[in-house]
């Protein structure tokens, strides 16, 4: 399983890198707009996304029975959510993918007041208690919208790896615990200076 998790993470990192390297800004925006059309759908359900979400997917992650694999769900969900998150932000000056920012850390950065904490915690709890990837993708959209509005980045390759694990009975509670720990931990205000893209 560890190999498939790394393959999922690497696949998403490669796809994001390709988007960031696009020389044509209009083509990059079109790619992101196309990915946003996939939000709320299952992997493979939107044919116009196949070249983005399936082309180059490692064989170990490809479904053999027509039902999306853990890797397909994780990479598809991470890529479509990134497209939503990046909307309205420049790829060059405001990338919404940043290494080292877990979902818990990003959600914590939304908290500025005690009222914020209760509001964000309710939304975060709804995401964490989702029973399926389809439900998770539905609930996390609102959280991603808040991150987008706040200009708070997230590590999307790491999110893809976590989403893979979240689908397994043996590891989903570890992912939830780690995200919860990151959400509850108080951060140094200078922490962003130590994080890289």
């Amino acid at each position: 399983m560890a190999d498939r998790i790394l393959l999922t993470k690497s696949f998403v990192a490669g796809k994001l890198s390709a988007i960031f390297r696009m020389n044509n800004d209009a083509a990059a925006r079109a790619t992101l707009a196309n990915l946003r059309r996939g939000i709320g759908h299952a992997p493979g359900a939107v044919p116009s996304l196949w070249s983005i979400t399936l082309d180059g997917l490692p064989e170990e992650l490809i479904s053999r029975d027509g039902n999306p694999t853990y890797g397909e769900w994780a990479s598809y969900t991470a890529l479509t959510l990134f497209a939503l998150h990046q909307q309205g932000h420049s790829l060059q000056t405001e990338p919404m993918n940043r290494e080292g920012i877990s979902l818990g850390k990003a959600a914590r950065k939304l908290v500025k007041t005690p009222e914020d904490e209760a509001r964000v915690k309710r939304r975060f709890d709804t995401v964490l208690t989702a029973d399926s990837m389809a439900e998770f993708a539905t609930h996390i959209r609102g959280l991603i919208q808040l991150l987008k509005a706040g200009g708070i980045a997230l590590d999307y390759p790491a999110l893809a790896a976590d989403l893979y694990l979240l689908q397994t009975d043996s590891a989903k509670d570890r992912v939830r615990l780690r995200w919860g720990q990151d959400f509850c931990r108080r951060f140094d205000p200078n922490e962003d200076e130590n994080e890289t893209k």
Side-chain angles (χ1 to χ4, degrees):
M1 181 170 75
D3 289 346
R4 290 183 177 163
I5 294 164
L6 288 174
L7 287 171
T8 301
K9 185 176 182 178
S10 295
F11 176 74
V12 170
K15 289 294 182 175
L16 292 179
S17 179
I19 292 169
F20 281 107
R21 284 192 323 264
M22 286 183 172
N23 293 330
N24 183 333
D25 194 45
R29 283 195 312 271
T31 298
L32 294 172
N34 199 21
L35 277 167
R36 285 192 295 275
R37 284 188 204 91
I39 294 174
H41 297 284
V46 182
S48 64
L49 297 183
W50 292 351
S51 65
I52 304 168
T53 61
L54 296 175
D55 186 34
L57 191 70
E59 283 294 319
E60 297 88 338
L61 302 178
I62 295 174
S63 170
R64 303 288 185 252
D65 63 4
N67 294 309
T69 65
Y70 293 168
E72 287 170 325
W73 264 116
S75 59
Y76 179 88
T77 302
L79 289 169
T80 57
L81 289 174
F82 168 75
L84 174 64
H85 198 166
Q86 190 63 51
Q87 186 180 25
H89 295 278
S90 165
L91 282 166
Q92 288 74 34
T93 61
E94 293 180 283
M96 290 295 110
N97 178 59
R98 182 167 300 156
E99 188 178 338
I101 306 293
S102 73
L103 186 62
K105 279 185 181 183
R108 182 69 199 173
K109 290 179 180 200
L110 291 168
V111 177
K112 308 291 185 220
T113 67
E115 294 80 21
D116 286 347
E117 183 156 13
R119 179 177 53 85
V120 172
K121 177 79 167 59
R122 274 193 309 275
R123 194 166 294 231
F124 192 52
D125 288 350
T126 303
V127 170
L128 292 181
T129 57
D131 289 330
S132 68
M133 282 305 295
E135 185 182 352
F136 176 87
T138 298
H139 292 310
I140 196 174
R141 268 188 288 194
L143 192 57
I144 296 298
Q145 292 280 18
L146 292 175
L147 295 174
K148 177 171 82 165
I152 298 167
L154 180 61
D155 187 334
Y156 278 91
L159 178 66
D162 286 345
L163 293 180
Y164 189 105
L165 290 168
L166 203 59
Q167 297 172 81
T168 67
D169 289 334
S170 63
K172 66 181 168 188
D173 287 338
R174 287 192 313 237
V175 173
R176 289 174 175 157
L177 175 62
R178 188 167 23 84
W179 285 350
Q181 290 167 336
D182 286 346
F183 181 79
C184 292
R185 192 173 289 134
R186 301 287 185 233
F187 294 105
D188 177 350
N190 299 319
E191 180 181 27
D192 279 343
E193 296 172 12
N194 301 324
E195 294 164 351
T196 60
K197 289 185 216 170

